[in-house]
Amino acid sequence: EIVMTQSPATLSLSPGEGATLSCRASQSVSSNLAWYQQKPGQAPRLLIYGASTRATGFPARFSGSGSGTEFTLTISSLQSEDFAVYYCQQYNKWPRTFGQGTKVEIK
Amino acid sequence: QITLKESGPTLVKPTQTLTLTCTFSGFSLTTSGVGVGWIRQPPGKALEWFALIYWDDDERYSPSLKSRLTITKDTSKNQVVLTMTNMDPVDTGTYYCIHTQEFYPFDAWGPGTLVTVSS
């Protein structure tokens, strides 16, 4: 099973600041890496797939990068609606696995 | 527009079998490459994928739960049914139904249903 490790667990930032979230895979997942955004009481939403392709409905301030085992989600300037928990997930091999999440909270 | 919705009991007793139904619209589970599956999330914890069925009846299960799971589809009703045997309090959480396609992530989610396992 591929283990996904996210860091940091919590990111405390102010609106307007930039955020950098990291995700590491225990073995290569090529570019088969997705990011999801989850707000309290809601289902997760697909945010990024193919490591760097934004899903429908998300603005350009969200960007993803990386391949192999190291991945990054960058939010260029945090808006109030961006404070949420973000999960990475690999879909290169079975079983599909998620990281433990990074909470982006208001400082 | 793809929509999915989970239904089933909100409370089950330890050792009982859980049956959840996912009813979907906006796509067909007879279309090549399409899959419907399940992900769960214990309160305050991370997401865990554990079951999926593809259009061609290919079934995928999490190894840690495989012995307890069965996933089936009814294409005439646009439904996928999950059964999980021998429920335990650690199985408490929100259960999500998801849509996917081969070589893609989970691109549509149901709102989720909270299942509590308690005597």
Side-chain angles (χ1 to χ4, degrees):
Chain A
E1 173 173 316
I2 298 176
V3 177
M4 307 300 293
T5 303
Q6 291 185 242
S7 62
T10 304
L11 210 43
S12 298
L13 295 167
S14 300
E17 289 191 293
T20 301
L21 289 66
S22 296
C23 175
R24 174 177 293 177
S26 61
Q27 60 183 266
S28 177
V29 298
S30 186
S31 293
N32 296 315
L33 189 285
W35 291 92
Y36 299 84
Q37 179 192 68
Q38 186 178 33
K39 297 181 180 179
Q42 297 184 17
R45 282 179 66 195
L46 178 63
L47 168 59
I48 297 280
Y49 62 95
S52 61
T53 302
R54 269 191 322 277
T56 303
F58 284 95
R61 64 179 179 271
F62 291 93
S63 63
S65 63
S67 66
T69 62
E70 300 283 344
F71 300 89
T72 301
L73 174 68
T74 302
I75 311 172
S76 60
S77 176
L78 283 163
Q79 305 299 302
S80 58
E81 61 267 29
D82 301 337
F83 291 93
V85 179
Y86 294 85
Y87 293 95
C88 64
Q89 178 242 330
Q90 66 81 19
Y91 52 99
N92 194 57
K93 288 191 175 179
W94 299 98
R96 305 310 197 216
T97 49
F98 290 87
Q100 76 277 25
T102 291
K103 182 179 182 180
V104 179
E105 64 176 24
I106 299 176
K107 187 175 182 180
Chain B
Q1 180 192 0
I2 291 174
T3 64
L4 309 103
K5 188 166 185 180
E6 308 84 356
S7 59
T10 57
L11 179 66
V12 296
K13 291 180 167 48
T15 76
Q16 286 187 337
T17 294
L18 171 69
T19 299
L20 292 175
T21 300
C22 174
T23 303
F24 56 84
S25 64
F27 67 95
S28 173
L29 205 34
T30 62
T31 300
S32 177
V34 172
V36 172
W38 294 91
I39 290 167
R40 68 179 183 176
Q41 185 173 38
K45 296 189 177 180
L47 301 162
E48 178 189 16
W49 169 84
F50 61 93
L52 193 141
I53 188 165
Y54 281 108
W55 66 286
D56 59 355
D57 292 322
D58 182 16
E59 299 169 27
R60 302 282 176 164
Y61 297 105
S62 169
S64 62
L65 293 171
K66 183 174 183 176
S67 63
R68 299 170 54 201
L69 299 173
T70 303
I71 189 169
T72 60
K73 63 182 175 63
D74 185 332
T75 54
S76 66
K77 293 182 179 179
N78 280 353
Q79 290 182 334
V80 167
V81 176
L82 174 85
T83 60
M84 181 181 290
T85 62
N86 195 24
M87 294 293 284
D88 183 272
V90 300
D91 297 313
T92 292
T94 298
Y95 285 70
Y96 296 101
C97 176
I98 56 87
H99 169 276
T100 187
Q101 298 183 74
E102 283 180 331
F103 313 119
Y104 278 90
F106 309 124
D107 57 4
W109 297 60
T113 185
L114 176 62
V115 178
T116 302
V117 185
S118 175
S119 55

